């Protein structure tokens, strides 16, 4: 098929628009009618299943271009229904243009509530106090910039607070525990 790479690229774009950009009006029937009108339903379903699998693998792996090349090489060497070089070229072009947009879409779909946009902090020493033992005691001044994930154009809220060294140590220990649990989850 002379336009195999163009059709393959169009199908990848259509599936991405439906599955990752929220354009639910793009149906299987619409994709077949617009991209593969001359293809049998069975052949179209095979091509579509192939594209869905490729997309899923690339998205789940959050592949960079080097990883994508290795992945496509393996797909082209498959015994059963290998990917053609034209199709691999279409996948490369698609991923180069859409990787970051798909990543951002997935991140925004999985976030709920507010997001932490920025943290500013400094350490101060108290130079005056009612009690002598509090003079020269360090304290952390924190400033958190919090944005609403659902309303991106809404102004950012700023929260400021102060922590003494004991409270700061507890917060840092909690953050380290969170990091360890995330790392354990990732390694599974």
């Amino acid at each position: 098929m002379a336009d195999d790479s163009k059709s393959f690229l169009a199908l990848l774009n259509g599936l991405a628009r439906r599955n990752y950009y929220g354009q639910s009006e793009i149906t299987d029937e619409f994709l077949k009618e617009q991209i593969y009108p001359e293809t049998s339903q069975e052949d179209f379903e095979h091509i579509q299943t192939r594209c869905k699998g490729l997309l899923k693998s690339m998205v789940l792996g959050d592949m960079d271009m080097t990883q994508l090349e290795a992945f496509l090489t393996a797909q082209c060497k498959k015994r059963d229904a290998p990917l053609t070089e034209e199709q691999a070229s279409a996948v490369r072009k698609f991923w180069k243009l859409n990787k970051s947009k798909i990543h951002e879409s997935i991140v925004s779909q999985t976030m709920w509530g507010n997001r932490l946009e920025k943290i500013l902090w400094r350490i101060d020493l108290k130079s005056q106090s009612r009690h002598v033992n509090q003079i020269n005691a360090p304290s952390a001044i924190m400033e958190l910039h919090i944005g609403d994930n659902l309303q991106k154009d809404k102004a950012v809220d700023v929260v400021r607070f102060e922590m003494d060294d004991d409270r700061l140590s507890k917060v840092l220990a909690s953050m380290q525990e969170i990091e360890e649990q995330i790392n354990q989850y990732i390694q599974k």
Side-chain angles (χ1 to χ4, degrees):
M1 191 182 276
D3 65 342
D4 187 43
S5 66
K6 288 182 182 180
S7 298
F8 206 73
L9 179 59
L11 183 57
L12 287 168
N13 280 313
L15 291 170
R17 288 171 61 188
R18 179 178 69 198
N19 298 341
Y20 301 108
Y21 304 145
Q23 296 181 7
S24 58
E25 67 274 5
I26 298 176
T27 63
D28 291 347
E29 294 79 25
F30 175 81
L31 292 172
K32 181 181 182 327
E33 180 183 301
Q34 295 296 314
I35 303 169
Y36 289 100
E38 304 294 320
T39 306
S40 71
Q41 185 64 32
E42 184 179 329
D43 288 345
F44 173 74
E45 287 175 8
H46 176 72
I47 295 167
Q48 184 184 29
T49 301
R50 183 72 185 266
C51 285
K52 285 179 181 178
L54 292 169
L55 271 174
K56 184 176 180 180
S57 296
M58 293 184 309
V59 169
L60 287 175
D62 196 24
M63 294 181 186
D64 61 25
M65 294 310 283
T66 305
Q67 292 169 320
L68 179 66
E69 279 304 318
F71 175 69
L72 291 176
T73 300
Q75 293 297 312
C76 288
K77 292 181 179 179
K78 275 184 152 184
R79 286 184 193 213
D80 298 331
L83 203 61
T84 67
E85 187 51 46
E86 292 81 19
Q87 291 170 334
S89 177
V91 172
R92 280 184 205 94
K93 183 176 181 178
F94 168 81
W95 195 239
K96 185 176 182 180
L97 296 173
N98 290 281
K99 178 188 185 305
S100 61
K101 290 186 275 186
I102 289 173
H103 180 80
E104 288 172 17
S105 173
I106 290 173
V107 168
S108 71
Q109 290 172 23
T110 58
M111 289 182 64
W112 67 94
N114 298 331
R115 68 186 180 285
L116 180 61
E117 292 188 356
K118 183 168 57 169
I119 298 177
L120 301 172
W121 61 274
R122 72 174 193 260
I123 303 295
D124 286 349
L125 294 176
K126 290 187 179 181
S127 59
Q128 296 181 27
S129 179
R130 292 183 185 175
H131 306 287
V132 175
N133 64 344
Q134 290 181 344
I135 295 179
N136 290 331
S139 66
I141 310 298
M142 306 292 294
E143 184 174 284
L144 308 177
H145 294 238
I146 302 170
D148 188 333
N149 190 49
L150 301 175
Q151 299 177 5
K152 302 218 187 285
D153 56 344
K154 185 179 173 189
V156 173
D157 293 326
V158 177
V159 177
R160 291 182 188 95
F161 57 94
E162 182 177 347
M163 293 189 286
D164 62 12
D165 59 342
D166 290 333
R167 186 71 189 140
L168 181 60
S169 295
K170 290 177 184 175
V171 168
L172 291 174
S174 295
M175 295 300 283
Q176 185 174 6
E177 184 179 334
I178 290 169
E179 181 182 15
E180 289 169 1
Q181 288 183 9
I182 289 172
N183 287 338
Q184 286 176 357
Y185 178 74
I186 290 172
Q187 293 174 358
K188 288 183 180 181

